[in-house]
Structure formats: C-alpha cells, structure tokens
C-alpha cells in the first residue's frame, strides 16, 4: 500500500509549533505555581524547569507568534486552505455519518484551535506589555492553555480515527508540496457542454456510449490540444502576454518563513523600544513633600504619574489585581515617591490573639506555613536592582518548592527570593507595623544558611531575603514553639509576649472590632500595642483578662537603627485608596542599597491582608533621574 505523506512545509511548521508550545507549557505551569491556590502544580515539580523560566516562556511565545504568521501565509500561498475550509458541504456533514461527519468535526476543531491560540497569544501580549494585566486576561490565558491541551488529545484521536496509524505517521514523512488544481474556467465549461450537446443528435449509434472524457468537467484530449496549439496566423499581433492572475513566483514555504521572521523581529524590536520608564523630576528643596500621606503637596503638582495594573495576587476582592500609580521627584539629596493603589479595605488585623477558655489562640489561616492570607496587615513593597533585568523576577526570584539545593523546602510550596551574586534593594511598608514612620529596608542576596527553627520547619526558610543590618521597632506579640509530639509540622504552640496594662483602653484603641478578615478597620483604629501601654506576660496579669478579649499581634517600641532605617514613610487610606509617601537618600552608600539613578530598574507589589500573595507585573520599570 502506498505510504501517506505530508508536505514538508506543514511538517516543519507543525513540529516547530509542538516544540515551542511544549516549552511555553512547562514554563507557564512553573510560573503559575506562584498564583494563589495553584500550588497543586508542584505535583509535577520533577518535570518543570527551575532556571530562566520567564525568559524561556517569552522566547517560546515569540516562536509561537512566528509560527502562527508563517502558517497563515503558507496556507494562502500553497492553496491548502481546503484542509480547514468550513463550507455548507462540511456543515451538512455534521448531520451525516461516517467519514463526512468526522471530516466536519476535524475542520471545526481546527477553527476552535485557531481562535483559542489567537486568544492565548493576544492575552499573553496584553499581560507582558501591561496594557491589561488583570484577572480577566490572566484567566483567559489560563483557560486557553487547557483548551489547547484538550485539542492536542482530540487531534491525535480524530486523526487516528480518520486513517489509523498511517494517518498519524504521515506527519513524519515529508513530500513535495503538490501543485494546486487549475482554476475552473467558466467559459471553457460552457463551451464543452455546448459541444457535447451538439454531438448527441449526430450520433449514428444511439446504443453506443457517447465519446466523452472520463471526467465530465474535463475537455477531450483533442480539445485540450486545440487550446494548447492555437493557429499562429489566427493570433492577433500584440505585445507580450500577461498572466490572468499574476502572483509572486516563489516557494510557498520560503515566503511563509520570511513573513514569520519579519513578524517575530518586529515584536522583539517593539519590546526593546517600548521601555516602561519612571521620570524622577528635580525640584527645589523648599518644595519637597511632607511625609504625612497627604497627596496635595506642592511637590506632587504637575508630576505625571506612571500607572500600571498589577495582578496574580491574593484577595483584592477575589481578583488579586490592583492599579498602582507612581509619582517621583528629587531635590538633589533625597528622592521622594508617592505610591497610590486601590484597596477596598483598610486591613490592620495582623495576627491578633483571642483569649478563650483554654488559653490564647492566634487568629490565622496559613501562618504555620508562611502563607497567611487572611489575618495580615496591608503591605506594599518596592524592589530596586541595578541588574539588567527584562522580565518578572529576573535574577531575584526562583520558583519551585525547593529552589535551593540542600536547604529546607518552602513550607508554602512557593518559590524563594535570592540572587546569585550581589544584592537587590527591597523596601517594605506595613499598615500596622510601619505606623511610626519607617519603611523596613531589606534586601535579596545569596541564599542564607537555615536557622535551627527553619531547618526543623517551625518557621519558613526565606532563601536570600533578609533585613538590612540594624534594628526595627516592631515585633510580633507572640512566640512560636515547636510541638514535636506529633511530628515537627503537626502544630505550633503560641504564647503572648505582652498583655495590655488596661484592657479597656486597648479595646477602645482597636475601634469597632470585626474579626472578619475581609472587613476593614474603622477610621482611627490602632491594631498594635506599645511597650508603654503593655506589660510582659505573666500568669497573674493573664488571670485578670476576661475570656473573649482580643489583643493586637504587633508590639511597637524603640526606634529603627542602622541601614534598616534608611527609608522614611507615611501612609493614609481613604475611599478605597492607599496613599504612601516615601523618602530616601539618592545614595545611602550602603552595600545593601541600590543608588537611585538613571538605569536602575524598579518593581512594585501590593498585598491585601496577605503575607506573601502580592500582585506583580511582568516588565520592570526603568528609572530616569532628571
């Protein structure tokens, strides 16, 4: 039996797509492990990549765009559009039987694939370039991935159904592209029908079969010969003849490849030219903003904000997205930033404690795994790096449940922040803990050795994330001890560090107490205790506190010091919007800080009462200092 074959252009495009989609799939799944509630993907950790995930994902996306362009051009140039053509005949085949129905189903499947793949590429572009990187587009990208996977399975099954193993193996057997059939000439067809009608009455033997071609629409050999060899004398003398349908005379695959390369090159060029930049204007020192959370300062006037939509975070009304605006100025010594972002709730309840009949209980939903996503304060973080990064988490984030070999696995199943060399500067503001005006100055550096508590999985291992040298003025109002009676990860024992001096005063400071984590705090509420209005824990002090009392999970006392005290701030929440003003020297001269100058890259992230589930954006922001 003659082996079935496929034109080499289709084979090359087919397997290029398969390879690119496979890379995009495995890297995309690894990226998706950082999306809340998708840590189940870690079941496939052994086959998912760990390094340069974002770069490989984007490179695969460019190849997929190139293949899409090349395939469209190839189909048009080669005349193979009949493979996927959906006309009345094929639509009627859906109600038929056997091969007709299968052919119609295959054609419709192709079009579902084309539409889904287009949506996948478009949504990916929107997410990457930040035109719209919110929940809806991210979900379209996620669902589209699984539709393509379902198509792959059904495609193999339907191809096998239509022709068995021979049909599947033809994609491995290249052949030359067959020439398309000639176009139907209406004038020639009418002439043949008229000539055939005239011959019928002249037939001498009515019982003999008529002398017609084996195909009713093909002319007789002598008729074709007459058309091929016209009488030279009968031809009018004119200029050179022209093709009735002039086309580019070139190999269809070469044209398709050229179009694909051109399209991919345009995308790469657009990526390099369309840089997201934050302009830091110079102002007079007298116009410097006052750090009070008030956005009406003269220093912010006429400063055009840089706006971006961040997504893939936790909470934020179930969509995990928020729009962030950034304004920046400097006076030659200090840089000032105004960050505003949308958050419908003012969340201050950071791991509060409630007294019950059997003792104190810590309100939490994931603290024991390092992934508290209910009882946590609102937060905002800024990352500065001098590294030439181009993608999300470039050189600072490493996905997977155990990114550092020989170190403890992450208790949350998510990745770790660390660098191979050098430091990335990280500022972190916390709605309750930063109430006295400091934004915690930290850094991402090379992976640290785990502490004994981290090695025992009592507290989460943090990779290379650590505060700058110095002290902070806040700490948790509880201590955590391992309960090894049922294994190191069975449970944790919690004991308060300090109790209120006057319970009624502390309760009044909390405002309208609502322990629903999705409800914000009332205006003026204060969910921390100071060392002055609290006492060290003792059984006598504990005995005087009634059951049902709620106390804050944060203690403030002392001052920030050292490198950790380089960033000052003030924040205010109103009408569903946080406003955070920040001040730092352009150059602190600390090895853990990145100077604020042209060419430095910035990233921002917002947390809605969540410990690690922050929003993110793909492309970094390039700082340009005036």
């Amino acid at each position: 039996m003659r082996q079935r074959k496929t034109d080499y252009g289709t084979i090359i495009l087919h397997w290029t797509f398969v390879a690119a989609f496979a890379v995009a799939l495995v890297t995309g799944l690894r990226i998706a492990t950082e999306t809340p509630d998708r840590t189940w993907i870690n079941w496939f950790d052994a086959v998912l990549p760990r390094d340069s995930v974002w770069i490989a994902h984007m490179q695969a996306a460019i190849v997929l765009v190139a293949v899409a362009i090349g395939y469209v051009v190839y189909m048009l140039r080669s005349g193979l559009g009949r493979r996927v053509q959906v006309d009345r005949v094929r639509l009627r085949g859906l109600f038929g039987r056997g091969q007709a129905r299968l052919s119609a189903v295959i054609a419709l499947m192709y079009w579902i694939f084309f539409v889904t793949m287009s949506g996948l590429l478009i949504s990916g572009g929107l997410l990457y370039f930040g035109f719209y990187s919110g929940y809806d587009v991210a979900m379209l990208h996620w669902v589209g991935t699984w539709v393509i996977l379902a198509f792959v399975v059904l495609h193999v099954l339907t191809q096998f159904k239509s022709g068995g193993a021979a049909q599947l193996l033809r994609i491995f057997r290249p052949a030359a592209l067959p020439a398309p059939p000639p176009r139907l000439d209406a004038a020639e067809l009418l002439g043949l029908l008229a000539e055939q009608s005239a011959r019928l009455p002249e037939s001498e033997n009515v019982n003999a079969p008529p002398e017609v071609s084996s195909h009713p629409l093909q002319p007789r050999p002598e008729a074709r010969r007459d058309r091929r060899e016209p009488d030279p004398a009968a031809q009018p003398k004119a200029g050179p003849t022209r093709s009735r349908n002039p086309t580019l005379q070139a190999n269809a695959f070469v044209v398709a490849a050229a179009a694909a390369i051109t399209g991919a090159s345009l995308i790469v060029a657009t990526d390099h030219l369309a840089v997201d930049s934050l302009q830091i204007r110079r102002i007079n020192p007298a116009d410097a903003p006052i750090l009070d959370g008030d956005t009406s300062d003269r220093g912010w006037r006429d400063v055009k904000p840089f706006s971006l939509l961040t997504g893939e975070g936790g909470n934020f009304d179930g969509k995990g997205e928020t729009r962030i605006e950034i304004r920046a100025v400097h006076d030659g010594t200090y840089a000032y930033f105004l960050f505003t972002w949308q958050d419908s709730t003012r969340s201050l309840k950071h791991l509060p404690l409630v007294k019950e009949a059997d003792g104190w209980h810590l309100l939490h939903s994931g603290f024991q795994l390092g992934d508290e996503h209910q009882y946590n304060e609102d937060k905002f973080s800024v990352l500065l790096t001098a590294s030439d990064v181009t993608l999300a988490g470039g050189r600072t984030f490493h996905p997977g449940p155990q990114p550092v070999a020989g170190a403890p696995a992450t208790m949350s199943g998510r990745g770790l922040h660390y660098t191979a060399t050098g430091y990335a500067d990280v500022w972190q503001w916390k709605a309750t803990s930063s109430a006295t005006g400091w934004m915690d100055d930290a850094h991402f550096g090379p992976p640290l050795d785990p502490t004994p508590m981290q090695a025992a999985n009592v507290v989460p291992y943090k990779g290379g994330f650590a505060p700058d040298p110095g002290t902070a003025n806040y700490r948790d109002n509880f201590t955590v001890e391992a309960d090894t009676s049922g294994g190191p990860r069975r449970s944790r024992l919690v004991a308060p560090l300090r109790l209120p001096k006057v319970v009624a005063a502390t309760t009044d400071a909390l405002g309208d107490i609502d322990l629903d984590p999705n409800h914000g705090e009332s205006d003026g509420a204060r969910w921390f205790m100071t060392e002055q209005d609290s006492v060290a824990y003792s059984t006598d002090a504990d005995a005087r506190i009634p059951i049902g009392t709620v106390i804050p999970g944060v203690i403030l006392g002392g001052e920030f010091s050292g490198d950790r005290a380089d960033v000052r701030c003030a924040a205010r929440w109103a009408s569903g919007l946080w406003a955070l003003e920040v001040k730092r020297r352009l150059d602190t001269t600390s090895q853990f800080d990145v100077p604020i100058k042209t060419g430095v890259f910035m990233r921002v992230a917002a947390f809605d009462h969540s410990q690690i589930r922050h929003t993110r954006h793909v492309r970094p922001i390039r700082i340009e200092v005036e």
Side-chain angles (χ1 to χ4, degrees), residues 150-443:
F151 167 82
V152 170
V153 175
L154 293 175
H155 177 64
V156 173
L157 293 177
T158 53
Q159 291 297 316
F160 181 81
K161 179 71 173 177
S162 66
Q167 179 69 10
L168 296 178
L169 292 176
R170 67 183 298 178
I171 199 64
F172 299 96
R173 298 168 178 159
L177 181 67
R183 292 186 178 182
L184 181 64
D185 192 323
E188 182 178 353
L189 175 62
L190 292 174
L192 290 173
L193 292 175
E195 182 179 347
Q196 185 173 348
S197 299
R199 286 176 177 270
L200 288 177
E202 299 175 0
S203 176
E204 296 180 356
N205 186 2
V206 295
N207 295 324
E211 298 180 9
V212 297
S213 171
S214 60
H215 194 289
L217 300 185
Q218 295 295 326
R220 292 180 295 104
E222 57 270 23
R224 290 198 298 269
R225 203 161 41 242
D226 290 343
R227 286 172 173 78
R228 285 196 304 267
E229 301 174 3
D231 184 1
Q235 294 296 320
K237 296 182 179 181
T241 59
R242 294 183 179 180
S243 173
R244 197 178 305 174
N245 295 298
T247 57
L248 179 64
Q249 299 299 316
N251 182 282
F253 181 74
V254 172
V255 176
I261 293 173
T262 301
S265 300
L266 288 175
I267 294 175
V268 174
T270 301
D271 181 34
H272 284 285
L273 294 175
V275 178
D276 295 331
S277 299
L278 172 66
Q279 304 289 333
I280 303 183
R281 290 181 50 189
R282 181 163 190 142
I283 59 173
N284 293 323
D287 296 330
I290 300 173
L291 301 185
D292 56 5
D294 186 354
T295 62
S296 63
D297 292 304
R298 189 193 317 182
W300 302 127
R301 297 175 187 174
D302 302 324
V303 177
K304 184 179 180 180
F306 177 85
S307 177
L308 72 163
L309 184 65
T310 60
E312 300 298 313
N315 301 323
F316 285 106
D317 300 324
K319 288 193 172 184
E321 67 178 31
T322 185
R323 180 164 293 280
I324 301 173
E325 289 190 348
I326 310 171
R327 293 173 174 85
V329 295
H330 78 95
D331 60 9
T333 303
Y334 290 95
Y336 301 85
F337 297 89
L338 172 59
F339 302 99
T340 58
W341 68 97
Q342 299 164 345
D343 187 346
S344 62
T345 57
R346 177 174 176 256
S347 303
L348 306 177
K349 293 186 287 286
H350 180 76
L351 299 171
L353 295 97
V354 180
K355 186 174 184 180
E356 298 181 7
D358 59 345
W360 290 95
H361 290 259
L362 186 71
L363 295 182
H364 69 93
S365 60
F367 172 73
Q368 75 279 10
L369 300 177
D371 184 18
E372 178 57 43
H373 51 273
Q374 295 293 338
Y375 293 97
N376 208 281
E377 56 197 323
D378 288 340
K379 297 189 295 185
F380 190 86
S381 67
V382 178
L383 181 146
L384 298 176
T385 177
S387 300
D388 186 15
V389 294
T390 56
L391 297 173
R395 302 178 185 172
T396 62
F397 180 75
H398 305 268
Q402 192 171 10
V404 182
T410 62
M411 297 169 66
S412 66
R414 304 179 69 181
L416 293 173
H417 286 287
Y418 64 87
T419 62
T421 58
Y423 298 98
D425 198 2
V426 180
W427 312 341
Q428 192 168 73
W429 168 84
K430 302 176 181 180
T432 296
S433 305
S434 300
T436 54
W438 275 280
M439 195 171 181
D440 209 349
D441 195 3
H443 60 269

Side-chain angles (χ1 to χ4, degrees), residues 355-604:
K355 186 174 184 180
E356 298 181 7
D358 59 345
W360 290 95
H361 290 259
L362 186 71
L363 295 182
H364 69 93
S365 60
F367 172 73
Q368 75 279 10
L369 300 177
D371 184 18
E372 178 57 43
H373 51 273
Q374 295 293 338
Y375 293 97
N376 208 281
E377 56 197 323
D378 288 340
K379 297 189 295 185
F380 190 86
S381 67
V382 178
L383 181 146
L384 298 176
T385 177
S387 300
D388 186 15
V389 294
T390 56
L391 297 173
R395 302 178 185 172
T396 62
F397 180 75
H398 305 268
Q402 192 171 10
V404 182
T410 62
M411 297 169 66
S412 66
R414 304 179 69 181
L416 293 173
H417 286 287
Y418 64 87
T419 62
T421 58
Y423 298 98
D425 198 2
V426 180
W427 312 341
Q428 192 168 73
W429 168 84
K430 302 176 181 180
T432 296
S433 305
S434 300
T436 54
W438 275 280
M439 195 171 181
D440 209 349
D441 195 3
H443 60 269
F444 297 150
L448 301 171
D449 293 332
T451 65
M453 293 281 278
Q454 291 173 340
N457 280 330
V458 177
V459 295
Y461 175 63
K462 296 185 177 181
F465 178 46
D468 287 1
T471 60
N473 73 339
Y474 69 88
R475 67 184 188 275
D476 290 332
N477 186 27
F478 53 88
T479 182
V480 179
E481 301 174 354
D483 177 7
T484 58
S485 60
R489 298 190 63 175
R490 176 174 174 270
S491 64
R492 308 293 181 264
L493 299 178
V494 177
L497 292 177
R498 299 185 72 84
L499 298 173
K501 284 182 179 179
V502 181
V503 175
T506 300
T507 301
D508 290 342
L510 298 178
D512 298 330
I513 298 177
D514 184 350
L515 295 181
D516 187 331
N518 294 313
H519 293 172
E521 273 52 80
S522 57
D523 190 26
R526 192 189 76 178
W527 279 73
F528 62 85
M529 289 192 303
T530 65
E531 292 182 347
Q532 290 73 28
D533 57 23
S534 63
V535 296
Y537 177 84
S538 66
T539 54
D540 291 339
D542 190 2
R544 292 191 293 268
I545 298 178
I547 293 174
T549 300
V550 178
I551 63 174
V554 176
I555 296 293
L556 298 184
E559 300 288 332
F560 270 74
S561 66
D563 284 0
R564 198 168 179 178
D566 286 333
V567 188
R568 299 305 303 264
C569 69
R572 183 180 297 182
W573 181 91
S575 303
L577 196 72
W578 274 111
L580 170 65
E581 292 180 298
V582 179
K583 170 186 175 181
R584 203 208 76 173
R585 283 186 175 272
L586 291 172
D587 189 356
T588 66
T589 70
S590 170
Q591 65 171 325
F592 300 102
D593 293 337
V594 173
I596 300 172
K597 61 182 181 179
T598 298
V600 167
F601 291 96
M602 171 186 281
R603 294 192 178 280
V604 291

Side-chain angles (χ1 to χ4, degrees), residues 20-38:
F21 183 75
V23 173
L25 176 64
V26 295
T27 54
L29 289 176
R30 176 63 83 187
I31 292 169
T33 59
E34 291 307 305
T35 302
D37 304 323
R38 289 182 187 164

Side-chain angles (χ1 to χ4, degrees), residues 99-111:
Q99 198 67 25
R101 174 182 291 180
L102 184 60
S103 176
V105 169
I106 291 175
L108 288 177
M109 281 176 49
Y110 274 124
W111 280 101

